Amino acid sequence: MSRIRKCNLGIRPICLAVVSMVLPLTAVSGEIGDIQWHGYLTSALMITSDGEYSGDVTDAGGTKDTRMGLNISTQVDESLSFVAQITGRDTEKFIMELDWAFASYDFDESTILRFGKIKYPVGMYNEYIDIGYTYPWIRPPEGFYNQDASGPNLTRVSYQGFDAGFTTFRDNIEFGFNLFGGVVDVPDGHMNQLVGAKLSINMEDEIRFELSGASGVMDIDNSFGRKTMMDGERHTAYTAGVIADFANFIVSSEFGSATMGQKHGGERPMDMNSGYIMGGYRLDGYMPHITWEKWNVNGGWGQKIIGVGVLKELTTNSVLKLELRRVTPETTQKPTGGVGLFEDVPSEKNVTLVGLAIEMVF
Amino acid sequence: MKTTLYQLAILSVLWTVSMLAYADDVVVVVHPSNPLTEISVEDVKKIYLGKKKFFPRGTKVIPGDQPKETQSHKFFYGGIIGKSEAKLKLYWPRLIFTGKATPPKIIGLDQAVKEWVAEEPQAMGYIMRTEADDTVKILDLK
């Protein structure tokens, strides 16, 4: 019998949600001397009908995704600039921590070098994944973007290293190429010797294509029980994606493939494929959308999701989102227990997730 | 439903045509010492969308903006940049929060923009044609 989990929200997320309703009326980005600052705030609630879902729903059943961030930037001279972002998440103390910070040097109109702690550039939404205001879902498809140790492992939060970007225009088409490398944190360690590349094509911001590939050597502990299989092994991921946003229609789709660990009996323990497609339509301040996604680990613990949602513009810089998703995990259990992105085994074949979020930028 | 779609299409075309007509009423201005006399619409678009940081064959450009409630802003973004307010609202956060670009600084209304451009050699701004005088240089759009 289906049951909606009791939500233990706590006072801070509720306060933030209320503040986020009020702030759009008064808050603006600004400048202090040569420093520009901008901020964002998101407060999300997800409820599951069954199971402990690691994607959005914490053990308490609620607001893992409440967060607030501040972005500051300054232009030092014609070529050099610094940018940093601090983010506070709904952990016990809601401490603001450095999300990323890097220096950026423009060699000329088309060549830029960034170095420092940089947002991981794989996945079309990943670089601004914390800014829920910029996309239609409460969170981008988890079968692609989830970063748990036993998740899709396609993308990461940020890495420490460099990014060399090259951009050129042909007519109205923008071609971009990024070469990046360094060290990236994973949930149970690091991925060293990271090297990646991304090719992007942007047609007037109406159609954008991206192809990316990244590879590194895993240096991990045994906190998720995968040291024997993964430590010292190569992790490689490839993704391809498109976002079409013209007139009032928006279509977004990405596919990814990752290989991890050493082969046993001809198969690696965590080879996986993932993909999703989303379609939406803007109409008078509303945007209904529908998403289908599938994540599959070879012989393992993937899941399918079909989701529908609606985004409503509240003010010029805030939106309200409502979402309903049906998750169908594979029955094969993960080595750490649970199925799909569930940390336990739900009693039902299909699990319903209901979500509500308020997102804003200022 | 079909009627609504037709109405939306007609309104969209009318809005585009009116914005293109109004685009002639707003001019792009730079400091009088700037060697440029003309600039392509595409370059203006790139500069105001954070995709181009230098004048064509020149120094770094500092674009200046006006509040979105002004007529100049509406004509400039509707007629020259060709991006609706709805799309701009999503466009800039994606760049700001990845540290890739920041939006043009809002200088003020036509008079404030004109005074700022007259004092800042790297500046680029837009004002209503009727507000322009010889303290700034109007660039021909090609």
Side-chain angles (χ1 to χ4, degrees), chain A residues 78 109 172 245 313 316, chain B residues 42 51 53 60 87 89:
Chain A
E78 280 201 354
E109 189 73 277
N172 294 329
D245 185 353
E313 288 180 21
T316 55
Chain B
E42 284 309 314
K51 297 179 177 183
K53 298 174 180 175
K60 192 109 175 178
K87 290 206 169 179
K89 280 196 307 184

Side-chain angles (χ1 to χ4, degrees), chain B residues 101-118:
Chain B
T102 52
K105 184 177 178 178
I106 295 177
I107 306 299
L109 308 182
D110 283 343
Q111 183 64 28
V113 170
K114 191 170 63 176
E115 288 171 6
W116 172 71
V117 169

Side-chain angles (χ1 to χ4, degrees), chain A residues 10 12 30 37 48 105 117 159-160 217 244 258-259 299 311 335 352 358:
Chain A
R12 281 186 301 270
W37 63 270
T48 171
Y105 189 86
K117 190 174 183 183
Y159 69 100
Q160 296 183 57
V217 177
T259 58
L311 177 151
T352 301
I358 296 172

Side-chain angles (χ1 to χ4, degrees), chain A residues 230-252:
Chain A
M230 303 290 179
D231 191 43
E233 297 296 321
R234 185 159 287 278
H235 174 197
T236 303
Y238 300 98
T239 66
V242 60
I243 299 175
D245 185 353
F246 51 89
N248 289 318
F249 292 95
I250 178 166
V251 176
S252 177

Side-chain angles (χ1 to χ4, degrees), chain A residues 318-340:
Chain A
S318 65
V319 295
L320 174 71
K321 297 174 182 174
L322 182 64
E323 213 166 276
L324 178 69
R325 282 185 274 173
R326 194 181 76 163
V327 186
T328 309
E330 299 288 343
T331 53
T332 306
Q333 287 201 33
K334 296 183 282 189
T336 53
V339 292

